[in-house]
Amino acid sequence: MMHGGGFFGGGGFGGGFGAARRFEEQYHCYSVAYADKSHLEKGDKILLPPSAFDTLARLQVDYPMLFRLSSMVDNRMTHCGVLEFTADEGTCYIPFWMMQNLLIEEGSVITVTNVSLPKATFVKLQPQSVDFLEISNPRAVLEHALRNFSCVTKGDIIQVPYNNRNYHLALKDVQPQDAACIIETDCNVDFDAPVGYKEPDYKANSAAASLASSKDNEMRSSACPSPATLSAASSATNLEAAAAAAAEDTKPAGIRIVNGKIVRPDDNGQQAIPKTSMLAERAGTTGVQMNAAIPQAAPKVDYWAVNAGDGARLDGKTPSVLKDKDGNEVDIRKLRAEAAARRAEAAAAASSKLLTSTGKNLQGEVVPPDEAAAQRAAASGAPVSKRKTKVGSKYSRIKQSGAAFQGSANNLK
């Protein structure tokens, strides 16, 4: 609504001055998130409808345009600037922290009035949390944050984002009046103690420091202790060490870190030793221990002699001779024969264990093995392939020539 004011000065009709008018309208208020402009939470700029710009353009207003926002709740008010005139008619969008200062909700009605404010000369702020003290240079952070603000109002709590956190500061004092403009002005800023901040107890600290210094002086000024005193002190130290060792021994065995390595106890309660065997039984297979095919310790030369094959080089030359760590040539045939004998012994042990092993049912009763099933399992070995030759990357029992296919195409005439 437009409020007309009285005429200034004398003069008859046509000889007077223009009417003093101001902009004052009521809008339904929503947060800037409704307009998809959440970045405006970093400052005090609002969005007004285009009709407000048409009205302000016909008035003689001061620039930059500043506005007073008033709510009907406890006669609360604050001041702000305007960014754009792109809001829907009858609505305005303001930062949510300003809505909190006005004690209003989404869709509440507020009064927007154009005002002229003086330049601020002094501002006193009080952080609302002691976390603000963790900022290394709070004045620089505040100076950078206030670039997005047009004015300040005494009693408001502004929001300053920094390092992915929002810090709230209360405006305790504003000079030269309760509301002032901070655009292109030289303003003095002072900080009050944060809410919840406690002054350190210097008296207690000084008393503790004096007590510690007196003890040091007593120790320095005392003469050499007697042998009886030394023996008593040493015996007390030995008793403490023995008690600590006993406490260490009574600790239950479990996973511990020793010299930076994780040590796991085995079933017998003794510490496990890193194994040197590969996690996969042979090259080309997948290891199952710790879900990786890498040993805990490097394998010895006998592993490579048994599992690495005869070796081959890309240039066709003869592979190098396999040697141990002392430089002696390794007998590959002997190592392979020993490995085959160990595998045969392991297979025989598994078969005998299958024949003699027993089990338990759910009731805990011992169940003897089925001898017939065990004999059948021992008699039936692994299936043997019937393929005899490999020709042309194909296994076959019939093909006798080097050609992949038979027929007249193999004869050149």
Side-chain angles (χ1 to χ4, degrees):
M1 66 185 65
M2 303 300 298
H3 297 274
F7 286 94
F8 290 105
F13 179 77
F17 298 93
R21 298 184 299 172
R22 64 175 182 175
F23 174 84
E24 184 174 339
E25 290 287 346
Q26 289 186 338
Y27 298 104
H28 289 279
C29 177
Y30 297 93
S31 61
V32 291
Y34 277 68
D36 197 17
K37 293 183 181 293
S38 58
H39 62 278
L40 297 182
E41 293 288 346
K42 299 179 180 180
D44 66 344
K45 304 296 191 302
I46 68 172
L47 304 180
L48 293 175
S51 61
F53 176 75
D54 296 338
T55 305
L56 290 167
R58 293 193 295 267
L59 299 176
Q60 296 180 357
V61 297
D62 295 333
Y63 290 90
M65 295 182 184
L66 301 177
F67 299 90
R68 180 176 66 244
L69 306 182
S70 306
S71 70
M72 300 178 183
V73 181
D74 296 339
N75 294 325
R76 305 277 296 191
M77 69 172 59
T78 187
H79 297 78
C80 64
V82 62
L83 179 68
E84 297 174 353
F85 295 90
T86 56
D88 297 334
E89 292 296 335
T91 61
C92 68
Y93 299 99
I94 69 174
F96 184 72
W97 64 266
M98 297 179 68
M99 297 180 63
Q100 291 177 321
N101 287 329
L102 295 174
L103 302 178
I104 59 176
E105 299 178 349
E106 303 285 352
S108 300
V109 177
I110 63 172
T111 302
V112 181
T113 307
N114 175 245
V115 295
S116 178
L117 300 177
K119 299 288 186 180
T121 58
F122 175 77
V123 175
K124 188 173 185 180
L125 301 165
Q126 182 187 26
Q128 299 299 293
S129 174
V130 293
D131 296 339
F132 189 76
L133 299 177
E134 299 176 0
I135 301 177
S136 58
N137 193 349
R139 290 186 179 273
V141 172
L142 184 63
E143 180 182 355
H144 182 270
L146 290 181
R147 294 177 182 176
N148 298 319
F149 286 76
S150 303
C151 50
V152 289
T153 306
K154 181 179 178 181
D156 280 357
I157 298 179
I158 63 175
Q159 177 177 290
V160 176
Y162 175 71
N163 199 16
N164 296 327
R165 292 189 61 180
N166 291 327
Y167 297 92
H168 296 85
L169 297 95
L171 292 164
K172 305 298 290 185
D173 190 14
V174 178
Q175 297 293 339
Q177 64 182 36
D178 291 347
C181 176
I182 60 173
I183 298 177
E184 297 180 358
T185 181
D186 187 9
C187 179
N188 296 322
V189 179
D190 189 16
F191 288 95
D192 201 355
V195 176
Y197 175 75
K198 295 182 180 180
E199 289 288 343
D201 192 355
Y202 296 104
K203 294 182 179 180
N205 295 337
S206 61
S210 62
L211 180 61
S213 61
S214 63
K215 288 183 178 180
D216 293 340
N217 295 333
E218 290 177 1
M219 293 177 64
R220 292 175 183 175
S221 61
S222 61
C224 260
S226 62
T229 306
L230 287 176
S231 61
S234 61
S235 62
T237 305
N238 295 335
L239 289 176
E240 293 178 358
E248 184 70 20
D249 294 339
T250 56
K251 291 183 179 179
I255 300 176
R256 293 189 293 177
I257 298 179
V258 179
N259 296 330
K261 296 182 179 180
I262 299 177
V263 179
R264 305 173 187 272
D266 56 9
D267 296 337
N268 298 328
Q270 300 182 2
Q271 303 299 334
I273 301 175
K275 299 180 181 180
T276 59
S277 60
M278 286 294 287
L279 306 183
E281 295 181 358
R282 59 180 182 274
T285 60
T286 303
V288 295
Q289 183 179 354
M290 295 175 62
N291 202 16
I294 301 175
Q296 297 179 2
K300 298 181 180 180
V301 68
D302 54 354
Y303 168 80
W304 304 109
V306 175
N307 297 295
D310 296 332
R313 292 174 55 122
L314 296 177
D315 55 5
K317 296 181 180 180
T318 304
S320 300
V321 179
L322 189 63
K323 298 180 180 181
D324 56 11
K325 62 180 181 179
D326 298 329
N328 302 322
E329 185 175 352
V330 177
D331 189 353
I332 299 178
R333 294 184 179 179
K334 179 180 178 181
L335 294 177
R336 291 181 178 176
E338 293 175 355
R342 289 194 297 270
R343 289 195 296 270
E345 292 177 0
S351 300
S352 62
K353 184 177 180 180
L354 181 63
L355 294 174
T356 59
S357 62
T358 59
K360 293 183 179 180
N361 56 17
L362 295 178
Q363 288 76 22
E365 301 173 353
V366 178
V367 179
D370 188 355
E371 297 182 0
Q375 292 178 359
R376 288 195 301 271
S380 60
V384 180
S385 174
K386 298 181 180 180
R387 296 172 295 192
K388 297 181 179 180
T389 60
K390 178 182 179 182
V391 181
S393 299
K394 303 291 182 180
Y395 290 96
S396 175
R397 295 181 299 165
I398 302 176
K399 299 175 183 177
Q400 302 296 333
S401 64
F405 300 94
Q406 300 291 333
S408 60
N410 295 323
N411 300 324
L412 298 178
K413 295 181 180 179

